Amino acid sequence: MRLGLLKLGEETEDAPDLTAARHAIDMLGMLSEKTRGNLSIEEQRLIENSLTELRFRFVQVSDSAPKPAAGDTPQA
């Protein structure tokens, strides 16, 4: 949802929140590392496949997102 690929509710065109998306992907990656060896094969594959897909989509969205102008500073 943070990548702007999944729409729920109103049909508004929200810009992707790449910072929040990166945070969510990193959290899933951390969970994958912390649970390694304690999951079934199916559970481990689900997490790994999800991470691979999310990382791929993140790169796609970040490449297509409008870049700030040279003099602009990003807002925190």
Side-chain angles (χ1 to χ4, degrees):
M1 285 178 25
R2 296 294 185 187
L3 291 173
L5 301 174
L6 183 64
K7 305 291 186 211
L8 297 175
E10 286 186 28
E11 292 295 324
T12 58
E13 189 65 33
D14 291 331
D17 185 351
L18 295 178
T19 304
R22 180 179 299 171
H23 178 72
I25 294 168
D26 288 345
M27 291 294 291
L28 187 58
M30 186 260 325
L31 286 173
S32 175
E33 290 297 318
K34 294 287 186 182
T35 58
R36 189 171 307 271
N38 295 319
L39 300 175
S40 69
I41 296 297
E42 294 83 16
E43 292 169 331
Q44 189 65 37
R45 283 186 187 150
L46 176 66
I47 291 177
E48 288 174 0
N49 291 342
S50 297
L51 273 170
T52 300
E53 181 72 18
L54 286 170
R55 288 173 176 152
F56 177 72
R57 299 286 181 178
F58 180 84
V59 170
Q60 282 183 323
V61 169
S62 61
D63 284 347
S64 66
K67 308 287 188 252
D72 294 346
T73 56
Q75 298 294 324

